[in-house]
Amino acid sequence: MLDIEFIRNNPDIVKANTKRRGSDVDVDALLACDKEIRTLRARIDEERAVRNQAARKGKPSSAELAQRRALSDEVKTLEETLRQKNDELTRQLSALPNILSPDVPPGKDDRDNLELRKWGTPKMFSFKPKDHLALGILHDCIDVDRAAKVSGSRFYYLKNEAVLLRLALMQYGLQLFMREGFIPFFTPHLAHTRTLYGTGYLPFSPNDIWKLEGDDDLSLIGTSEQTLVGYHQDEIIERETLPRKYVGLSSCFRTEAGSYGKDTHGILRVHEFYKLEQIIFCIPEESFRWHDAALAWEERICQELGIPYRVVVVCDGDCGAPGYKKYDIEGWFPAQERYRELTSNTNLTDFQTRRLNIRTKVDTKTVFPHTISATGITDRFIIAIFENYQEADGSIRIPEVLHPFMQGVEKIDRGNVS
RNA sequence: GGAGAGGUCGCAUAGUUGGUCUAGUGCGCCGCACUCGAAAUGCGGUAGGCCUUUACAGGUCUCGUGGGUUCGAAUCCCACCCUCUCCGCCA
């Protein structure tokens, strides 16, 4: 949500931004609606003042009664109009995308992202590297065929060493982030529509959200960002306790509507996966710094895991309506011979906190903290490790930093015994 | 899931025959006084949104949420949410 005051004062910026992001919100209509509301409010306040003054005097004489009734009716009519206008304004405001950072490149999709830097050198294999699914089948670690029977396409079973690997990745990540002052969370996997609106997933991408049947107003979360940012909705966070750094573990559920036929092989694009997520609440002045810090932690993880990667600034067409600026880390996937998205790191500025009414106080002034939402580690790291760490004989080494969490397994080489 | 109780301005409480409730009181917190200093005591102040205003100040909304009744709602009616106690079920 943008500050209505900002929209009033900078209509041209908002219009240009809205157009650039392909939103069909009519900013002029929005401002007209806002103006009407202000006029209405002023009138209602005036009428109410008269009405309240009269009411405070106590019982009216029968002569006064008619007069008061007329006044009351008038206020009611105005209130009804105000309610409608307010709903209209809220609808328009919540459909407005966030302002973009000046350094976000223009573009259509992820091919137009701007490369910031590369780390590591893609390994030259003396053999044709297998893809992660082939490796997963070979070692009886990943099973998508049976998942298809039970749950459908884009689901998977992890088995054997892949189970250890997922948990090891999470343990390793948890340790890293907790040492940096993050508070660990398991969150609910279901959330109310209000929270999905507040975090900016609605109304922008309703088709990617799995809604439960029935009247409970619950949907499966697409990421623990939703539950972790929602954690503080309608709260005032003490200034002294900022920045708040949270690291959340959860399954993530996505319908992947609109991606039919895309990345159908293996477990790259799936309906359900596991993720460790960083969320940071901070004062507005510090969000640039924490955005970069979150990226630095992501890079450190990739480096310690020995996954070659590149960092990109995501272009406007791929940024997502709530984002002010987004970095992706793309890891090297040898079988595809290309970099694929491993993590995503967004500075959301005050977009979410305004919607969720999360405030803090800076020098007695109420302000909306900024939020940073960044991936820590996901199941896609399993893909990256499988493919980058495979040997000619098909075995897979385990990155050293994960050894303490692998129950002694340093190499996957069981072969196919399914 | 069943039965009962409850949700009031940081915390705790008062307030339900509808009418200066413009929400009282205690605690906590802030300021001042007294004191060498502190405690104790006394006095004053202590939510947020929106609007008018240079300021002072004032208006309005919010008593879990949303509707309704009424000239007037913390108070009456309806729906929903949440909490607590007991019972049932259960990893």
Side-chain angles (χ1 to χ4, degrees), chain A residues 2 7 14 18 25 27 30 92-98 204 351:
Chain A
L2 297 182
I7 303 172
V14 175
T18 304
V25 175
V27 178
L30 184 152
Q92 289 172 318
L93 270 179
S94 65
L96 216 51
N98 199 358
F204 304 109
F351 194 80

Side-chain angles (χ1 to χ4, degrees), chain A residues 239-252:
Chain A
R239 164 72 182 86
E240 296 72 34
T241 66
L242 293 173
R244 297 262 189 128
K245 292 178 282 184
Y246 296 160
V247 55
L249 293 165
S250 83
S251 293
C252 304

Side-chain angles (χ1 to χ4, degrees), chain A residues 256-386:
Chain A
E256 290 295 341
S259 64
Y260 301 110
K262 203 165 144 192
D263 297 321
T264 51
H265 188 75
I267 65 168
L268 182 69
R269 189 178 295 279
V270 287
H271 286 312
E272 177 184 345
F273 60 93
Y274 212 79
K275 181 154 68 81
L276 178 152
E277 172 86 354
Q278 344 174 28
I279 295 293
I280 302 172
F281 294 85
C282 64
I283 60 171
E285 293 74 24
E286 292 184 354
S287 66
F288 300 103
R289 181 188 146 202
W290 290 111
H291 190 211
D292 287 344
L295 176 64
W297 283 313
E298 289 175 340
E299 288 193 66
R300 189 171 137 201
I301 288 168
C302 289
Q303 290 174 15
E304 289 186 1
L305 291 172
I307 303 166
Y309 66 87
R310 63 181 199 136
V311 179
V312 298
V313 181
V314 175
C315 71
D316 51 15
D318 200 31
C319 184
Y324 171 77
K325 183 180 176 183
K326 179 153 125 182
Y327 298 119
D328 277 2
I329 288 183
E330 298 177 345
W332 179 254
F333 284 26
Q336 293 192 9
E337 294 188 313
R338 59 183 281 217
Y339 291 97
R340 296 302 307 260
E341 179 183 336
L342 269 186
T343 71
S344 196
N345 172 1
T346 311
N347 182 354
L348 294 131
T349 61
D350 56 0
F351 194 80
Q352 296 179 321
T353 52
R354 279 184 188 280
R355 292 171 159 242
L356 284 169
N357 195 27
I358 299 171
R359 294 145 294 161
T360 189
K361 289 208 165 160
V362 176
D363 302 331
T364 73
K365 265 185 69 183
T366 300
V367 302
F368 294 95
H370 284 192
T371 50
I372 308 295
S373 165
T375 313
I377 294 175
T378 76
D379 284 342
R380 280 190 181 173
F381 279 69
I382 295 173
I383 303 177
I385 289 169
F386 268 34

Side-chain angles (χ1 to χ4, degrees), chain A residues 146-311:
Chain A
R146 288 189 173 102
K149 286 194 301 187
V150 174
S151 310
S153 66
R154 295 198 191 282
F155 285 94
Y156 56 106
Y157 285 91
L158 294 183
K159 282 176 81 178
N160 295 311
E161 286 82 358
V163 172
L164 296 181
L165 186 55
R166 177 198 266 182
L167 292 177
L169 281 165
M170 296 303 147
Q171 285 278 38
Y172 153 74
L174 207 54
Q175 189 174 72
L176 185 148
F177 283 111
M178 287 178 71
R179 282 174 177 165
E180 296 292 342
F182 281 73
I183 297 166
F185 280 85
F186 282 128
T187 85
H189 288 101
L190 298 173
H192 282 134
T193 302
R194 158 96 204 278
T195 301
L196 301 183
Y197 256 96
T199 47
Y201 284 82
L202 291 173
F204 304 109
S205 41
N207 295 331
D208 202 26
I209 294 171
W210 246 316
K211 200 166 184 333
L212 259 60
E213 269 184 40
D215 299 322
D216 281 319
D217 180 31
L218 284 170
S219 299
L220 289 166
I221 60 171
T223 160
S224 60
E225 169 191 357
Q226 293 159 349
T227 39
L228 284 176
V229 175
Y231 186 73
H232 285 301
Q233 65 194 40
D234 297 314
E235 289 185 17
I236 296 174
I237 304 177
E238 293 291 331
R239 164 72 182 86
E240 296 72 34
T241 66
L242 293 173
R244 297 262 189 128
K245 292 178 282 184
Y246 296 160
V247 55
L249 293 165
S250 83
S251 293
C252 304
F253 301 90
R254 311 208 172 160
T255 65
E256 290 295 341
S259 64
Y260 301 110
K262 203 165 144 192
D263 297 321
T264 51
H265 188 75
I267 65 168
L268 182 69
R269 189 178 295 279
V270 287
H271 286 312
E272 177 184 345
F273 60 93
Y274 212 79
K275 181 154 68 81
L276 178 152
E277 172 86 354
Q278 344 174 28
I279 295 293
I280 302 172
F281 294 85
C282 64
I283 60 171
E285 293 74 24
E286 292 184 354
S287 66
F288 300 103
R289 181 188 146 202
W290 290 111
H291 190 211
D292 287 344
L295 176 64
W297 283 313
E298 289 175 340
E299 288 193 66
R300 189 171 137 201
I301 288 168
C302 289
Q303 290 174 15
E304 289 186 1
L305 291 172
I307 303 166
Y309 66 87
R310 63 181 199 136
V311 179

